[in-house]
Amino acid sequence: MSTSIARADSVPTLAALETIERRVLWLATSMIHHANRVRPNPSGIKVGGHQASSASMVSIMTSLWFGQLRPEDRVSVKPHASPVLHAINYLLGELDERYLTTLREFGGLQSYPSRTKDPDPVDYSTGSVGIGATAPIWGAVSRRYVGSLSDAAGRGRQYSLVGDAELDEGAVWEAVLDQGVAGLGEIVWIVDLNRQSLDRVVPNIAAGKLERLFQAAGWQVITVRFGRLLEELLARPGGQALRRRILEMPNPEFQRLLRCTAAELRERLPGSGERSASITDLIDGIDDELLLAAIRNLGGHDLDALREAYAQIDDDRPTAILAYTIKGYGLPLEGHPQNHSSLLTETQYAELAVKLGEHPDAPWSTFDAESEAGRLCAATAQRLHREPVALAEPPAVPTDFGRTPSGTATTQAALGRALLDLTRGAPEAARRVVSVSPDVSSSTNLAGWLNKVGVWSIEDRPDWFSDDAETTVHWREQPTGQHIELGIAEVNLVSLIGELGATWSRWGEPLFPIGVLYDPFVGRALEPWSYGVYAGGQSILVGTPSGVTLSYEGGAHQSITTPSIGLEQPGVVSYEPAFAIDVEWTLLASLGRLGRPDGSSAYLRLSTKPVDQRLCAVPVDPAARERRRRQVVAGGYVLREAGSGAAAVTLVAMGALVPDALVAAERLEALGVPVDVVCVTSPGLLFDAVQARDGLTDAPDWILGQLFPAARARPMVTVLDGHPHTLSFLAGINRVAARHLGVSHFGQVGGLDDVYRHHGIDVESIVSAALDVVR
């Protein structure tokens, strides 16, 4: 092995890089070709893949992996360039050849890079527009946060390879503009500036505009427009006129030049006006081959130009490298406005093989170990080798603090109280908690927790109001703080808790991230949070306050569908506790599921409705208390049994509506209708239990026999502050007649009684539904 190549700080030769670059292009193109043209497809449904989008990234990724990356660096790869990542991993010995024929096949290589589903190393799951692009920002925050606990995360750059069309996604700019990002110098974005979207050449994508946007956010901007060949041409007499002509022409016009013959290019390129004669004289002095090569020699395909750009990175602030590229570079379909999903024909694929010196019938070749390219692959694999992460056992989380709340309290306030209790009862576990919120810490009752643990920041910052006697929230910012407050951008919040929740698998340091936001905005945050769960991030999302119970805020701030979200979201256990003790038990159970290979995320839907905690009737006997706790965590419990023995009707309530169901039960008893009241804490867990009972899934189902025993099966009324279908499946457990009350249209502003009455979830409506169902 060449010593100069094997050294981590060596500079690979241009010839070796170009050889690897061509092989990467071939392998990436061949994976997609095999999936669509070779592999049997009995269904006839399009398999797909993105040969053009992959081709535009080949030079950037080859130069990055084989000349720049260190083992501590992490890279988020543009979704449609996943075949390029797999090709590089294959050449580095990180992917077995048998997987190269499995792109988009069940059990094979995923459509887009996936940390949890791909068989080869993937640093960030991507595919959801804008979310994968911003993930390295939150990965950088997470790495720095872990640094306050140990040195396991080390240092390293966080790269994001982004397609320019992806910059249309608002989540990108929400992240870029966050006030804390400008201090994260390890962030490097490389923008594949090919100026195309799915359907067309985008007329107004301009590097100048993007430069100004990134610079305004405090980023360093490096623009890589042209390669060496084109720069040499532009340095000749008439070159300045040609430079201005290329920079000023609309994107579609430039793309059209790529589809021209040399003769057509000589006619079109000079354009009109006073500069055209100088351009004509310049290009008349070069041959057709050089002219065609020069017009394609953009900076994103020039390995030397890219290497120079990397050398300029300033690690004191984030960097955006804007690399001009051609979509489909090196392929017959390069530059075509509709090439996004285009596939090479058999003839084109064979012609590409001849051009690259490859063999269509044996497409998966690697390099001879003694060749320069082979030695560079071996040296790069050695340089980038990472030892397997040693997974640490998360600190033990208690199941019960042993305290029984009294008086009147809200479930929202109970969250802050439970976190403070955790600092006293389990300090090691509490140290792993990191709370995240938009600008709502005090209004969601986190002030006490925030005052206790402080606010996390990269460096110590003075609290100028520490000596103000009227200040109740003390904003102590320091690297050991445990609360992170972002701007009012829910996408940023859930993206961050997703990355904080992945540190157990990245660096072996488990964290317990809790994101708190207004429940009406859970829907806005759902897609990026779901993607974080998919990528292996385990976190707790708290939506509070919730439902039309937030009556005076009006319809815009009243959440209706969030109970359904909790019921349906994969990888998440959802809870809607009715009492403070329920919050404590479900929160502790949720914390206990975080930071482990078999773990899961959680969603807690809380309320600001004051509730008499005596209604909870927590058993005094320790064994009975533990039985109640297990039921709460498993999905629900019987809160009230009919006073006269056999009930005539079962009221099933959840969250803020439980006290109203108890009042309705008393009124029904007075009317001679005996009532059981069941308090549901997790419709999702109960649905899983039903599915398990029917043999459709693997989950415990013991809770069904305790909440809805066949011997006590009676007509049922369900009620919640959310869409009524959330609990409607419960009537099918024993196949009883039922009425389902809830909220199915936009709310109204007003007092609680008026709003409940408007939606038919008040006591009168519960009583009326019960009388109807028993007749």
Side-chain angles (χ1 to χ4, degrees):
M1 180 183 293
S2 169
T3 304
S4 62
I5 291 178
R7 286 179 19 230
D9 59 350
S10 63
V11 178
T13 67
L14 186 60
L17 284 174
E18 288 176 339
T19 300
I20 293 173
E21 177 187 36
R22 290 191 295 272
R23 182 62 54 81
V24 169
L25 175 62
W26 171 253
L27 289 170
T29 304
S30 296
M31 283 182 230
I32 302 168
H33 180 81
H34 187 280
N36 289 272
R37 305 288 193 197
V38 180
R39 193 170 69 214
N41 181 11
S43 71
I45 296 175
K46 176 184 174 183
V47 176
H50 301 86
Q51 289 174 327
S53 293
S54 292
S56 68
M57 287 297 301
V58 166
S59 303
I60 291 171
M61 293 178 67
T62 299
S63 63
L64 191 61
W65 259 261
F66 293 91
Q68 299 298 320
L69 289 184
R70 301 163 297 173
E72 61 268 30
D73 297 335
R74 298 291 185 271
V75 187
S76 172
V77 175
K78 186 180 81 168
H80 292 160
S82 63
V84 181
L85 176 62
H86 298 312
I88 289 174
N89 282 336
Y90 173 61
L91 293 177
L92 296 180
E94 297 281 4
L95 181 66
D96 191 272
E97 180 180 326
R98 65 188 174 92
Y99 283 108
L100 300 182
T101 60
T102 68
L103 181 69
R104 300 192 173 206
E105 183 178 63
F106 185 81
L109 299 176
Q110 300 300 297
S111 303
Y112 310 115
S114 172
R115 287 190 72 226
T116 57
K117 297 182 181 296
D118 271 317
D120 54 333
V122 174
D123 291 332
Y124 289 99
S125 296
T126 58
S128 184
V129 177
I131 305 306
T134 61
I137 289 179
W138 313 120
V141 175
S142 300
R143 185 197 64 77
R144 293 208 182 199
Y145 190 92
V146 166
S148 69
L149 300 171
S150 75
D151 59 0
R155 298 191 63 81
R157 286 176 177 166
Q158 299 281 337
Y159 289 91
S160 186
L161 310 182
V162 188
D164 53 7
E166 195 167 12
L167 298 181
D168 289 343
E169 171 57 52
V172 167
W173 299 107
E174 285 186 6
V176 167
L177 293 171
D178 188 85
Q179 59 183 355
V181 171
L184 300 174
E186 62 267 47
I187 296 171
V188 179
W189 282 24
I190 305 175
V191 180
D192 172 12
L193 200 67
N194 61 50
R195 301 167 303 285
Q196 285 189 232
S197 62
L198 190 147
D199 293 323
R200 61 172 182 153
V201 178
V202 181
N204 297 319
I205 287 182
K209 179 176 70 173
L210 295 176
E211 287 172 356
R212 292 189 294 273
L213 287 169
F214 280 109
Q215 287 169 347
W219 291 44
Q220 176 193 25
V221 178
I222 302 168
T223 302
V224 191
R225 286 190 174 86
F226 306 133
R228 291 290 181 86
L229 180 62
L230 183 52
E231 284 289 1
E232 289 172 2
L233 181 62
L234 298 177
R236 300 182 185 184
Q240 287 303 311
L242 179 57
R243 183 187 299 274
R244 290 185 60 188
R245 165 78 173 124
I246 293 174
L247 292 177
E248 292 174 3
M249 70 172 58
N251 291 328
E253 182 181 4
F254 178 82
Q255 296 289 103
R256 183 63 183 89
L257 297 180
L258 302 175
R259 311 291 299 174
C260 291
T261 63
E264 292 170 331
L265 186 56
R266 292 182 187 280
E267 179 182 348
R268 288 171 178 260
L269 184 56
S272 59
E274 60 184 21
R275 296 194 299 264
S276 61
S278 298
I279 297 172
T280 299
D281 291 343
L282 172 61
I283 62 178
D284 280 348
I286 60 176
D287 60 32
D288 288 351
E289 183 179 357
L290 177 59
L291 178 60
L292 290 171
I295 199 64
R296 288 164 169 75
N297 184 223
L298 300 184
H301 303 302
D302 190 286
L303 297 170
D304 272 338
L306 289 167
R307 182 156 38 192
E308 289 181 0
Y310 301 143
Q312 299 174 48
I313 293 174
D314 176 5
D315 287 322
D316 291 330
R317 54 180 172 152
T319 298
I321 298 175
L322 307 182
Y324 276 69
T325 61
I326 297 170
K327 195 165 185 174
Y329 182 74
L331 302 180
L333 43 73
E334 69 177 6
H336 193 281
Q338 281 87 48
N339 66 8
H340 182 80
S341 298
S342 296
L343 298 170
L344 269 61
T345 65
E346 295 284 1
T347 300
Q348 289 173 326
Y349 182 68
E351 291 171 351
L352 180 67
V354 173
K355 174 183 174 182
L356 298 178
E358 300 289 351
H359 302 283
D361 297 330
W364 316 123
S365 60
T366 55
F367 297 109
D368 184 283
E370 297 306 315
S371 68
E372 189 178 18
R375 294 197 304 272
L376 178 53
C377 286
T380 301
Q382 180 182 1
R383 171 169 53 84
L384 296 181
H385 175 73
R386 299 174 187 163
E387 292 296 328
V389 174
L391 300 182
E393 184 71 19
V397 178
T399 58
D400 187 354
F401 292 132
R403 180 174 56 84
T404 302
S406 59
T408 300
T410 71
T411 55
Q412 176 178 286
L415 172 69
R417 178 62 183 269
L419 289 174
L420 289 174
D421 285 344
L422 189 67
T423 63
R424 293 185 285 267
E428 289 188 16
R431 184 63 188 93
R432 296 282 166 166
V433 173
V434 50
S435 58
V436 183
S437 76
D439 189 23
V440 295
S441 298
S442 56
S443 61
T444 53
N445 290 100
L446 287 180
W449 161 257
L450 191 151
N451 289 341
K452 175 73 174 180
V453 301
V455 178
W456 181 84
S457 67
I458 296 174
E459 57 189 7
D460 284 299
R461 295 173 182 167
D463 177 7
W464 297 107
F465 286 86
S466 61
D467 57 350
D468 187 332
E470 296 182 6
T471 298
T472 57
V473 179
H474 300 293
W475 211 255
R476 295 180 291 108
E477 297 181 84
Q478 53 200 2
T480 57
Q482 291 180 242
H483 177 77
I484 301 176
E485 185 148 306
L486 303 174
I488 303 178
E490 287 78 15
V491 171
N492 287 353
L493 182 147
V494 296
S495 297
L496 175 55
I497 63 173
E499 290 304 321
L500 289 166
T503 59
W504 67 272
S505 59
R506 288 197 196 281
W507 301 296
E509 288 287 351
L511 296 175
F512 299 155
I514 302 174
V516 182
L517 73 165
Y518 286 157
D519 194 67
F521 305 144
V522 166
R524 183 185 302 174
L526 177 61
E527 192 259 347
W529 186 51
S530 176
Y531 212 82
V533 173
Y534 166 81
Q538 299 168 8
S539 61
I540 298 174
L541 185 65
V542 178
T544 183
S546 63
V548 298
T549 298
L550 192 61
S551 56
Y552 289 113
E553 294 286 347
H557 274 57
Q558 295 171 355
S559 52
I560 297 170
T561 62
T562 47
S564 304
I565 289 172
L567 174 67
E568 298 163 6
Q569 175 60 45
V572 172
V573 177
S574 65
Y575 290 110
E576 185 164 346
F579 300 100
I581 192 65
D582 297 350
V583 174
E584 176 188 308
W585 288 338
T586 56
L587 175 66
L588 294 176
S590 300
L591 289 171
R593 298 188 187 102
L594 301 179
R596 55 186 70 247
D598 60 346
S600 62
S601 296
Y603 163 49
L604 272 64
R605 188 174 188 254
L606 306 183
S607 172
T608 51
K609 183 178 179 179
V611 173
D612 183 350
Q613 298 302 302
R614 293 173 299 178
L615 297 176
C616 189
V618 179
V620 175
D621 179 79
R625 179 186 176 100
E626 174 58 15
R627 181 175 183 270
R628 167 72 71 84
R629 186 200 67 81
R630 291 180 64 246
Q631 290 176 332
V632 166
V633 172
Y637 54 98
V638 177
L639 183 56
R640 181 189 189 280
E641 290 188 342
S644 58
V649 64
T650 301
L651 301 184
V652 181
M654 187 167 75
L657 271 296
V658 169
D660 301 83
L662 290 172
V663 173
E666 293 294 335
R667 287 184 51 180
L668 287 165
E669 289 277 1
L671 294 172
V673 180
V675 178
D676 286 345
V677 177
V678 174
C679 175
V680 169
T681 55
S682 177
L685 289 178
L686 295 184
F687 184 79
D688 290 344
V690 171
Q691 294 288 85
R693 186 196 63 176
D694 295 339
L696 298 175
T697 189
D698 182 19
D701 63 358
W702 59 268
I703 189 66
L704 298 180
Q706 297 194 11
L707 300 190
F708 306 107
R712 295 184 69 85
R714 296 293 185 273
M716 178 182 294
V717 174
T718 66
V719 60
L720 76 155
D721 188 357
H723 198 282
H725 89 85
T726 308
L727 299 179
S728 62
F729 71 93
L730 296 175
I733 294 174
N734 292 312
R735 295 179 175 84
V736 298
R739 298 288 187 274
H740 305 294
L741 309 182
V743 182
S744 55
H745 52 275
F746 288 115
Q748 295 285 336
V749 68
L752 195 60
D753 292 342
D754 291 333
V755 170
Y756 278 6
R757 189 178 305 110
H758 172 74
H759 290 285
I761 56 175
D762 59 320
V763 172
E764 295 283 348
S765 297
I766 298 172
V767 170
S768 178
L771 294 174
D772 286 343
V773 80
V774 297
R775 290 174 181 168

